[in-house]
Amino acid sequence: MTDYSQLRLLAIHAHPDDESSKGAATMAHYAGLGARVMVATCTGGERGSILNAEMEGDVRAERDLPGLRRHEMASAVAALGVEHRWIGFMDSGLPEGDPLPPLPWGCFALQPLQRAAAPLVQLVREFRPHVILSYDENGGYPHPDHIQTHKVSMEAYLRAGDAEAYPGTGDPWTPSKLYYDRAFNPERFLALHEALEARGLTSPYAQRIAAMQESDPEGHQPPVPRHETTTQVRCPEQFPARDHALSSHRTQVDPRGMFFAVSAETQAEVWPWEDYTLAESRVETSLPETDLFAGIDPTTTPRK
């Protein structure tokens, strides 16, 4: 049996609330098994908006949304039972319009790669994770901060073990594996959609499923994703903790919105996993996997 107390997991996210909508139950699952689990949040979400109509007019949210988001993040971290570190960059905002406006000066997405990755490399060398979770090259969705998060996560994974790279940021550490989160896995949405319709219930995913099928020129249902799922972590017992963490982000998440439209019990019955793509590995493993730490021996050093 795996001794998870010797293992460490680092999840790298762009904004406060991303950790609760992407892989939250997985983090709570491994923390519950005894592993050290940390969330690194690259920005403070300073350029976000109030996305929950119930919070509109709230004095604190209107006057100091970034400060309130830090309190929300602390509540989410407590709900998941994990550690947390702010990386400290400024939110880039989501540009809108045609043509798109330039990104704000000094924001995270405009930082040169080595400058943006340096504090993350330092954290990897300090925390010494065996596994890193982050986003694919599209950022999970194409927000500039999510795309930059992918870039710095890859840089930290590839270079943190190089003693010549990033001088002054600590002793080198080589993570064993890096995964892309697939929280918006279209197969999951389709399974939940069909299960709800079979029960005679209204599916909150109908519009999303229709859009996915329309966007697939070959008519696949669902459309062929950019990356396939290689790893599924079964963690339905942590779905309530995930929902608690997500609801902690009161300014960002509508409690009557899509994330809460299907009960944890139904999700546990239909799709009791959280899904990932193994993007990089320095250890031998066999796919498909059911454990992010598969193949990892914490007493040995992985190959570089």
Side-chain angles (χ1 to χ4, degrees), residues 201-247:
L201 302 173
T202 301
S203 168
Y205 307 115
Q207 187 174 357
R208 177 183 287 266
I209 295 296
M212 288 193 302
Q213 293 172 349
E214 288 173 4
S215 68
D216 177 21
E218 297 183 7
H220 296 95
Q221 296 186 7
V224 177
R226 183 184 297 248
H227 298 286
E228 299 294 337
T229 297
T230 64
T231 309
Q232 291 187 302
V233 178
R234 189 180 183 93
C235 48
E237 73 285 351
Q238 297 297 348
F239 287 177
R242 173 205 61 194
D243 290 349
H244 185 187
L246 192 56
S247 65

Side-chain angles (χ1 to χ4, degrees), residues 175-186:
S176 296
K177 299 166 88 174
L178 181 141
Y179 290 89
Y180 296 153
D181 175 85
R182 298 202 72 221
F184 300 113
N185 179 2

Side-chain angles (χ1 to χ4, degrees), residues 16-302:
D17 78 53
D18 287 325
E19 84 296 328
S20 294
S21 61
K22 304 168 188 68
T26 296
M27 291 190 290
H29 169 73
Y30 284 115
L33 292 175
R36 283 189 68 189
V37 181
M38 179 179 285
V39 175
T41 308
C42 292
T43 80
E46 296 87 354
R47 290 191 168 92
S49 303
I50 298 173
L51 300 180
N52 176 10
E54 292 183 359
M55 292 296 293
E56 292 179 359
D58 181 273
V59 173
R60 188 175 184 187
E62 298 283 357
R63 293 184 61 183
D64 183 20
L65 182 59
L68 181 52
R69 294 191 72 178
R70 284 182 170 264
H71 284 277
E72 292 175 345
M73 185 70 198
S75 296
V77 166
L80 298 175
V82 303
E83 302 172 52
H84 179 245
R85 187 73 59 85
W86 296 102
I87 299 301
F89 289 104
M90 180 66 68
D91 187 351
S92 305
L94 182 61
E96 296 179 311
D98 187 13
L100 291 174
L103 294 173
W105 181 87
C107 69
F108 178 49
L110 292 182
Q111 300 298 315
L113 178 59
Q114 288 196 337
R115 182 184 299 167
L120 193 57
V121 169
Q122 182 169 344
L123 177 59
V124 169
R125 289 174 170 177
E126 174 192 331
F127 183 63
R128 301 163 74 84
H130 300 91
V131 171
I132 292 177
L133 304 181
S134 194
Y135 314 139
D136 67 15
E137 59 273 15
N138 191 48
Y141 80 104
H143 187 297
D145 285 337
H146 283 242
I147 294 171
Q148 181 78 313
T149 297
H150 162 76
K151 292 177 181 178
V152 299
S153 299
M154 292 299 300
E155 179 75 357
Y157 176 83
L158 294 171
R159 303 296 299 281
D162 181 354
E164 302 299 319
Y166 295 90
T169 59
D171 295 331
W173 171 258
T174 303
S176 296
K177 299 166 88 174
L178 181 141
Y179 290 89
Y180 296 153
D181 175 85
R182 298 202 72 221
F184 300 113
N185 179 2
E187 290 92 344
R188 173 178 175 270
F189 284 123
L190 185 61
L192 291 172
H193 169 77
E194 292 177 344
L196 290 171
E197 289 200 328
R199 291 164 167 76
L201 302 173
T202 301
S203 168
Y205 307 115
Q207 187 174 357
R208 177 183 287 266
I209 295 296
M212 288 193 302
Q213 293 172 349
E214 288 173 4
S215 68
D216 177 21
E218 297 183 7
H220 296 95
Q221 296 186 7
V224 177
R226 183 184 297 248
H227 298 286
E228 299 294 337
T229 297
T230 64
T231 309
Q232 291 187 302
V233 178
R234 189 180 183 93
C235 48
E237 73 285 351
Q238 297 297 348
F239 287 177
R242 173 205 61 194
D243 290 349
H244 185 187
L246 192 56
S247 65
S248 296
H249 294 283
R250 297 180 302 137
T251 63
Q252 304 301 298
V253 181
D254 181 353
R256 295 187 297 273
M258 184 187 70
F259 285 113
F260 300 104
V262 182
S263 70
E265 292 76 16
T266 297
Q267 292 185 57
E269 178 183 347
V270 176
W271 201 273
W273 312 280
E274 290 190 329
D275 306 323
Y276 301 90
T277 297
L278 178 60
E280 298 279 348
S281 181
R282 295 182 169 106
V283 298
E284 296 297 327
T285 186
S286 178
L287 301 180
E289 299 173 316
T290 59
D291 186 354
L292 299 179
F293 293 105
I296 296 175
D297 179 352
T299 65
T300 63
T301 301

